Amino acid sequence: MNINRRNFLKTSALASAAAFLGGAPDLSAKTSAQTSPVAASDSGLIVPAGAGLKITGTFLDEISHDIPHQNWGPKEWERDFQHMKAMGIDTVIMIRSGYRKFITYPSKYLLGKGCYMPSRDLLDMFLTLADKYGMKFWFGLYDSGRYWDTGDLSWEIEDNRYVIDEVWENYGQHHPSFGGWYISGEISRATKGAIDAFRAMGKQCKDVSGGLPTFISPWIDGKKAVMASGSALTKDDAVSVEQHEKEWNEIFDGIHDVVDACAFQDGQIDYNELDAFFEVNKRLADRYGMQCWTNAESFDRDMPIRFLPIKFDKLRMKLEAAKRAGYDKAITFEFSHFMSPQSAYLQAGHLYDRYCEYFGIDPQPFQV
């Protein structure tokens, strides 16, 4: 029989109507012989439950670069903190305090440089929520955008010299949740000015705050490290494991005394490459006395639509590789868009449910 697209859609519609009216067959009545030959657990999983590294931190991406705003206010953000807490998140990281002219708080310095006044002080709101829900808040530095235009990270030192002091004086000393600093410049390889910039900004963060920890979250220049604005999903000139180790050994050697942790983004390499790169990352971090975190991306880089919540099995595989490598912590980019039950993406809430099933977590929102 020739089944064209129109016939297929018609058949699907009739099947859906039958299901709504109670006429669909009971698929759950299949015997074990009719389903997978692999025995399932009580949760229905046919893989070991909870074998991955739990996600205990998330970025807060309110100043977005390439994903849409959800236009939340305090009510929606507090609800999200409740979902985060229920999932086991104890760390929130504001990914950047500003990007180009949009900023998260009324910075006297940045407003004087031509940035736009925000309608709400998001920094104070995030810190207040972190205080309330017993989380550690990490402050993400300002991103002027000049690094993305020039490829030179040293541009970021000057603006952040003022931002770091301003934020510590006006916020850091007044909120018990203020627990560290995120140096927000994202690099993948030996980048012009990177070591000097990380050293300068990391040292200032530590000096002004009495030694609070700092971390970075670079990306691996793998086969999926392509421009978000392009149409390609992969590239041929991916970094080798050996070259990655060589370059990052040099970078860690230059920054380890002022940068406490490194959370490599995990989405730019293929799933069969995870163990090789993760083993190198952990070995380098151990060599220089740094914490080895993973930035477990909860969005999918394998689809032509950018960016949607990731398929659960992909996230699971990445978290399991991090556990095998002995990583210290898993954070994600980013809960609110790609895992939250109240995300604008319907799939995000389903990813949250699958994650909670896998780890045996009660998905009910945490109440203070």
Side-chain angles (χ1 to χ4, degrees):
M1 184 176 72
N2 180 24
I3 302 179
N4 60 27
R5 182 173 180 273
R6 180 176 295 177
N7 288 336
F8 173 77
L9 293 175
K10 181 178 179 181
T11 303
S12 298
L14 290 173
S16 298
F20 178 77
L21 295 172
D26 181 8
L27 298 180
S28 65
K30 287 185 176 181
T31 67
S32 59
Q34 295 172 295
T35 58
S36 170
V38 182
S41 67
D42 291 342
S43 64
L45 296 174
I46 59 173
V47 295
L53 186 63
K54 285 185 178 180
I55 294 171
T56 55
T58 183
F59 284 103
L60 304 172
D61 188 26
E62 181 55 24
I63 297 294
S64 299
H65 172 59
D66 50 15
I67 55 176
H69 285 275
Q70 302 194 97
N71 294 308
W72 289 351
K75 180 179 68 174
E76 291 87 0
W77 274 112
E78 177 155 19
R79 187 71 169 172
D80 228 44
F81 270 68
Q82 292 172 352
H83 288 302
M84 293 177 200
K85 186 75 173 181
M87 180 178 138
I89 286 176
D90 57 24
T91 303
V92 289
I93 308 117
M94 190 166 69
I95 194 166
R96 54 185 72 88
S97 52
Y99 179 62
R100 299 189 187 269
K101 290 189 176 184
F102 285 96
I103 55 180
T104 57
Y105 72 101
S107 165
K108 183 177 180 180
Y109 169 76
L110 292 174
L111 289 170
K113 297 277 288 185
C115 289
Y116 306 134
M117 174 67 81
S119 59
R120 186 178 298 278
D121 188 337
L122 298 171
L123 176 55
D124 183 69
M125 182 187 71
F126 287 146
L127 281 163
T128 300
L129 288 170
D131 290 344
K132 181 175 181 178
Y133 289 95
M135 299 178 183
K136 285 297 181 185
F137 175 90
W138 297 59
F139 176 80
L141 303 188
Y142 174 67
D143 183 347
S144 71
R146 286 181 289 183
Y147 158 63
W148 301 107
D149 297 334
T150 66
D152 185 351
L153 197 60
S154 63
W155 281 107
E156 304 308 316
I157 298 174
E158 184 64 21
D159 287 331
N160 280 297
R161 180 175 290 120
Y162 297 94
V163 167
I164 292 166
D165 286 347
E166 180 181 61
V167 164
W168 180 250
E169 180 180 352
N170 295 332
Y171 299 88
Q173 301 181 66
H174 311 295
H175 288 275
S177 62
F178 197 108
W181 307 84
Y182 169 55
I183 305 172
S184 57
E186 295 179 25
I187 66 171
S188 65
R189 305 182 67 167
T191 300
K192 185 178 180 181
I195 292 177
D196 290 342
F198 285 154
R199 282 193 60 82
M201 292 186 284
K203 185 177 187 306
Q204 185 181 349
C205 287
K206 284 183 164 296
D207 287 348
V208 76
S209 64
L212 286 182
T214 65
F215 88 99
I216 59 174
S217 186
W219 42 286
I220 299 171
D221 195 20
K223 63 182 293 185
K224 292 189 280 185
V226 296
M227 293 294 293
S229 57
S231 59
L233 296 178
T234 60
K235 64 178 185 177
D236 295 328
D237 57 338
V239 71
S240 67
V241 176
E242 294 76 18
Q243 186 65 19
H244 173 77
E245 182 168 15
K246 180 178 181 294
E247 294 181 7
W248 279 96
N249 182 68
E250 180 181 348
I251 296 170
F252 279 10
D253 184 53
I255 67 173
H256 69 275
D257 55 336
V258 294
V259 176
D260 299 281
C262 180
F264 278 104
Q265 301 167 25
D266 69 1
Q268 294 90 353
I269 55 177
D270 215 341
Y271 303 99
N272 64 321
E273 300 176 302
L274 290 168
D275 287 299
F277 278 97
F278 282 16
E279 180 183 341
V280 165
N281 295 342
K282 185 64 166 69
R283 182 164 64 244
L284 288 173
D286 288 348
R287 180 180 302 163
Y288 290 101
M290 299 169 65
Q291 289 271 301
C292 188
W293 298 0
T294 188
N295 180 354
E297 293 180 343
S298 42
F299 65 92
D300 203 327
R301 290 184 180 271
D302 302 328
M303 300 180 64
I305 303 173
R306 298 185 178 148
F307 291 101
L308 296 175
I310 199 169
K311 175 182 173 68
F312 169 70
D313 277 333
K314 296 178 180 179
L315 179 62
R316 174 184 62 81
M317 290 167 65
K318 296 190 296 183
L319 295 175
E320 289 171 353
K323 184 71 172 289
R324 288 194 297 270
Y327 274 29
D328 299 295
K329 189 177 182 70
I331 64 175
T332 189
F333 183 87
E334 111 345 313
F335 179 86
S336 297
H337 281 86
F338 304 118
M339 290 191 77
S340 172
Q342 62 169 1
S343 167
Y345 298 118
L346 181 64
Q347 307 96 320
H350 298 321
L351 179 59
Y352 182 80
D353 289 341
R354 302 294 79 74
Y355 178 92
C356 289
E357 287 173 356
Y358 175 70
F359 281 109
I361 295 170
D362 182 356
Q364 296 306 311
F366 178 88
Q367 300 292 329
V368 174

